[in-house]
Amino acid sequence: GAVVSQHPSWVICKSGTSVKIECRSLDFQATTMFWYRQFPKQSLMLMATSNEGSKATYEQGVEKDKFLINHASLTLSTLTVTSAHPEDSSFYICSARGGTGGGQPQHFGDGTRLSIL
Amino acid sequence: TQLLEQSPQFLSIQEGENLTVYCNSSSVFSSLQWYRQEPGEGPVLLVTVVTGGEVKKLKRLTFQFGDARKDSSLHITAAQPGDTGLYLCAGVLTDKLIFGTGTRLQVFP
């Protein structure tokens, strides 16, 4: 089956640090990748959608300068949380989808837990 | 704005009991998915329902898609401790998945 790998799985860093999270599709080409954020005991909230080779589309209320997304290849997307602060602490999950159209399944990574001290 | 409301929010039951989780929206979705998520992991797809009125069974789990494609339900028969987790419905809207508010299920032995 389709496998999506996220790295790192857990990161703890000081306030003001920039943190990069990688999302890789291991056995398929991901034309679209999605980044979600999940606070404790809450559901997944879509942050942005990225298509390979083009700029990401951010959801309302998500700061694009704060959360930099790069999708330079069909197997890799990165999310960089710039100048992270404690309120950015959360569980970040990516998903990847091959093909086009919303009907294609999204395959989820195992998430990255980000803790900002 | 959360388009998909799930109820109940929390459910704590004994092994062997039956339960139903509801997923309601005022929006029409082309399809709807159900996921289960364990702590510290990504969500795992359980089922996709596409046609209004559709019923799908997956062992002890029964999924139903409303006739108007606005709501769905998940029924678990004879719940087991291994069913414990966060259950999420997600509607497919244009090019995106919109997740429901979630139902946290705890099944005690």
Side-chain angles (χ1 to χ4, degrees):
Chain A
V3 178
V4 174
S5 173
Q6 253 183 271
H7 179 80
S9 56
W10 198 309
V11 57
I12 302 173
C13 58
K14 293 182 178 180
S15 185
T17 306
S18 291
V19 179
K20 180 185 282 188
I21 301 170
E22 292 186 349
C23 179
R24 293 180 184 274
S25 57
L26 299 185
D27 52 359
F28 68 102
Q29 293 186 326
T31 51
T32 307
M33 287 187 171
F34 302 86
W35 287 95
Y36 298 84
R37 184 173 182 176
Q38 185 176 31
F39 289 109
K41 302 190 187 304
Q42 293 188 23
S43 186
L44 278 72
M45 296 298 292
L46 180 64
M47 299 175 65
T49 302
S50 74
N51 291 295
E52 184 265 338
S54 61
K55 289 185 178 180
T57 302
Y58 290 81
E59 294 299 301
Q60 192 172 10
V62 178
E63 300 175 59
K64 61 180 181 180
D65 295 329
K66 174 75 171 177
F67 299 99
L68 300 178
I69 291 172
N70 183 280
H71 190 170
S73 79
L74 284 171
T75 59
L76 174 64
S77 176
T78 60
L79 167 67
T80 301
V81 184
T82 61
S83 187
H85 289 94
E87 57 267 28
D88 298 322
S89 298
S90 190
F91 193 52
Y92 293 86
I93 305 173
C94 74
S95 71
R97 186 179 71 197
T100 57
Q104 295 293 322
Q106 291 185 28
H107 305 282
F108 287 84
D110 275 340
T112 296
R113 185 161 302 284
L114 175 62
S115 296
I116 308 298
L117 304 178
Chain B
T1 304
Q2 190 62 263
L3 295 179
L4 280 164
E5 292 287 337
Q6 285 182 238
S7 61
Q9 195 174 358
F10 300 98
L11 197 51
S12 184
I13 60 173
Q14 290 291 127
E15 182 176 3
E17 291 185 29
N18 302 331
L19 66 113
T20 301
V21 177
Y22 299 93
C23 174
N24 294 296
S25 174
S26 57
S27 300
V28 177
F29 296 99
S30 56
S31 62
L32 193 139
Q33 300 175 342
W34 284 92
Y35 292 82
R36 189 173 91 190
Q37 185 182 23
E38 305 277 356
E41 298 181 8
V44 175
L45 179 65
L46 297 174
V47 78
T48 301
V49 285
V50 180
T51 308
E54 182 177 5
V55 177
K56 278 192 175 179
K57 289 194 174 184
L58 188 67
K59 296 183 179 177
R60 295 178 293 103
L61 278 60
T62 301
F63 305 86
Q64 187 162 9
F65 200 12
D67 291 339
R69 306 206 318 276
K70 293 182 179 181
D71 54 85
S72 181
S73 65
L74 158 61
H75 182 79
I76 301 179
T77 303
Q80 298 176 1
D83 296 327
T84 293
L86 176 66
Y87 287 82
L88 297 161
C89 63
V92 178
L93 194 64
T94 58
D95 198 39
K96 300 184 288 192
L97 272 182
I98 306 298
F99 278 88
T101 48
T103 296
R104 193 164 296 278
L105 172 65
Q106 177 83 50
V107 182
F108 291 98

